Amino acid sequence: MKAKPTSSLRKFLSIPRKLVIVTHWSPDGDAIGSSLGLGNFLKNAGHAVKVIVPNDYPSFLYWMRGHSQVINADAEPAKASRFLSKAELIFCLDFNDLKRLNELGDVIAALDIPKVMIDHHPEPTAFAAYAKHVVKVSSTAELVYEFIRELKGEKRIDRHIADCLYTGIMTDTGGFRFPATSGRTHRIVANLIDAGAKNADVYSRVYEDNSENRLRLLGYALQEKLVVLPEFRTAYFTLNQSEHARFNYRKGDTEGLVNYALTIRGIVFAAFISEREGQVKCSFRSKGKFDVNEFARAHFKGGGHRNAAGGQSDGSIENVVKKFKDLLPQYKDKLNKV
Ligand code: 5GP
Ligand code: MN
C-alpha cells in the first residue's frame, strides 16, 4: 500500500471528525509533545480527539495541556479499545511499526480504520493510508508543525500547542544539539516562541524536575557502574532491579543517563542495560558513522536512529551484558574507524 501525503487530509478534516492519536511504548518528550500538540490543535478545530498511550510516561511531561485526558491503554485497555473502534482516523505519531505499541498495536492492526503515520525513524513499515515520513528531520513535533502548516492552521497555534511542540523538538534534539537540528528546526522554534511557547519554562519543567533519588541514582551510576572499554571505544552502564529499587526508581529517572558515557573523550559507542519488572532493556547511542539502529535490530529486537536506538533481550541481565560484550570484537574495526 502506497501511503498518500498528509496534505490530502485537508478536505477530510474540514468537517468535525472522531480522531484518535497514538504514540509508541514508553513515550518520550517528542511522543507526548507531538501527540498533545496535534491533539490540542485538532480539538480546537472542532474535532473529537482522544490521545491514547500504550503505557505511562515520565511525570516531567504531566504539565502539558491535555495530559489529564490521555488514556493509558496499559491501565484502561477497554476504554482505549472503545475510543479506537469508534475512530474515523488514527494518527500514529513518532513510530513506524505497530509492534512499537505492544498489545495496543495488535488492537489497532485489527481495526479497519485508516491510519496516518507522522514519523522520523528509519525503515517504516507499510500500515498507514497517509504518511508524512522524513528521516532527516529532528523530531516528530517538527513534522506535526509542517502538517499543521499543510492544513493552513499555523495561525491557530496557541501557546499550549506551541509549548507541546517546543517540548518535542527540544527533547528530541537534546536541547538543539544533535546533528538533525537544522536551520528549519530553528525557524519553526522561532515561530513557536512567537506563538507563545515559554521556552525557559519548558526547559525548567522538563530538565529541572529531578527528585533527590534521581540525582543520587545518577551519581551512583557514574561513580560505581560505568564501564569503559577503550579498545572498543565503548562505555556502558548497567542497573539491575534491586539498584532501581534502592533509589526508588520512577519512570524517566534514567532518561539521558546513557549520554554521559558518550561524552568521554574517544568513546563513540555507549550503552545502558537495565533490568526492571523482569525485563532487560537496552539503550544505545553512538557518535558519527557507527549505526546503533542496525546494531539494535540485528541483536536486540529493537531499532531507532543511526545514533540513538534501543532494544530488549530475554534472559538475565548478566547474560545480556555478556552478549553485548561478546559482540564488540566483531565491531572493533567499525568502532575504530569512526
Ligand atoms: P531510548 O534509548 O531513549 O529508549 O530510545 C532511543 C531511540 O530508539 C528512540 O528513537 C526510540 O524510539 C528507539 N527505540 C528504543 N527502544 C526501541 C525498541 O525496542 N524498538 C525500536 N524499534 N526502537 C526503539
Ligand atoms: Mn521522536
Side-chain angles (χ1 to χ4, degrees):
M1 172 171 59
K2 177 94 177 75
K4 296 193 192 83
T6 50
S7 54
S8 56
L9 283 165
R10 201 176 154 206
K11 188 152 172 265
F12 179 83
L13 292 172
S14 65
I15 58 167
R17 300 287 186 181
K18 288 196 206 70
L19 308 169
V20 165
I21 299 173
V22 295
T23 190
H24 59 78
W25 184 263
S26 278
D28 57 10
D30 189 31
I32 297 302
S34 56
S35 295
L36 289 177
L38 179 62
N40 290 323
F41 173 81
L42 293 170
K43 205 178 229 172
N44 292 353
H47 303 287
V49 188
K50 206 68 197 161
V51 175
I52 301 177
V53 293
N55 64 338
D56 199 8
Y57 45 90
S59 60
F60 58 74
L61 301 170
Y62 285 1
W63 57 270
M64 268 184 254
R65 175 62 61 108
H67 154 71
S68 60
Q69 283 100 50
V70 171
I71 297 177
N72 173 353
D74 206 23
E76 296 185 289
K79 196 172 173 190
S81 292
R82 212 164 52 237
F83 276 97
L84 278 164
S85 59
K86 282 191 255 155
E88 293 170 86
L89 196 63
I90 302 173
F91 285 90
C92 298
L93 265 47
D94 203 35
F95 69 93
N96 61 34
D97 184 340
L98 289 169
K99 286 202 186 88
R100 290 282 288 132
L101 271 56
N102 292 337
E103 289 84 358
L104 182 63
D106 299 335
V107 174
I108 292 174
L111 293 171
D112 190 19
I113 298 170
K115 285 114 199 162
V116 187
M117 177 204 294
I118 302 183
D119 180 56
H120 67 135
H121 292 89
E123 301 177 58
T125 59
F127 66 85
Y130 301 87
K132 178 178 278 304
H133 180 261
V134 190
V135 172
K136 61 179 195 314
V137 158
S138 74
S139 54
T140 297
E142 193 174 322
L143 292 174
V144 165
Y145 184 91
E146 291 294 318
F147 176 54
I148 290 175
R149 190 140 53 192
E150 286 168 3
L151 298 177
K152 311 267 182 254
E154 242 177 317
K155 296 258 162 17
R156 283 182 277 130
I157 294 180
D158 65 16
R159 64 193 169 91
H160 304 294
I161 299 166
D163 274 347
C164 292
L165 297 180
Y166 185 91
T167 303
I169 299 176
M170 179 189 77
T171 52
D172 250 30
T173 57
F176 314 105
R177 292 176 298 136
F178 299 155
T181 314
S182 64
R184 204 181 66 142
T185 311
H186 281 286
R187 280 189 286 276
I188 290 174
V189 163
N191 292 342
L192 292 174
I193 292 172
D194 288 346
K198 296 266 181 296
N199 47 323
D201 284 355
V202 171
Y203 179 90
S204 182
R205 284 170 192 259
V206 172
Y207 292 122
E208 298 174 338
D209 189 43
N210 290 325
S211 62
E212 180 181 343
N213 271 318
R214 182 183 182 186
L215 222 55
R216 294 204 186 278
L217 176 60
L218 168 66
Y220 168 75
L222 290 171
Q223 174 69 24
E224 309 282 340
K225 303 304 308 269
L226 176 67
V227 180
V228 184
L229 304 170
E231 187 189 358
F232 301 112
R233 303 182 72 188
T234 296
Y236 68 92
F237 300 98
T238 64
L239 286 175
N240 64 26
Q241 188 107 29
S242 69
E243 289 166 321
H244 282 104
R246 200 168 124 197
F247 291 91
N248 194 25
Y249 172 87
R250 290 284 170 268
K251 210 165 187 55
D253 279 358
T254 51
E255 207 150 295
L257 175 64
V258 63
N259 296 311
Y260 284 95
L262 206 59
T263 65
I264 303 169
R265 189 182 304 136
I267 296 300
V268 297
F269 183 26
F272 171 48
I273 301 172
S274 73
E275 175 199 35
R276 276 190 291 116
E277 295 156 7
Q279 253 213 326
V280 182
K281 170 97 179 76
C282 309
S283 274
F284 302 112
R285 299 289 185 274
S286 67
K287 271 188 186 151
K289 287 208 188 75
F290 189 69
D291 189 340
V292 290
N293 169 38
E294 211 172 84
F295 185 86
R297 275 175 196 268
H299 308 293
F300 293 94
K301 294 183 281 185
H305 310 272
R306 185 176 72 181
N307 296 126
Q312 50 266 305
S313 194
D314 301 325
S316 68
I317 184 164
E318 292 80 12
N319 284 343
V320 178
V321 174
K322 185 176 182 313
K323 173 179 169 179
F324 172 71
K325 285 170 72 176
D326 288 347
L327 282 166
L328 293 175
Q330 75 189 72
Y331 288 95
K332 188 173 176 180
D333 287 349
K334 276 191 178 159
L335 289 164
N336 281 291
K337 251 191 242 141
V338 174

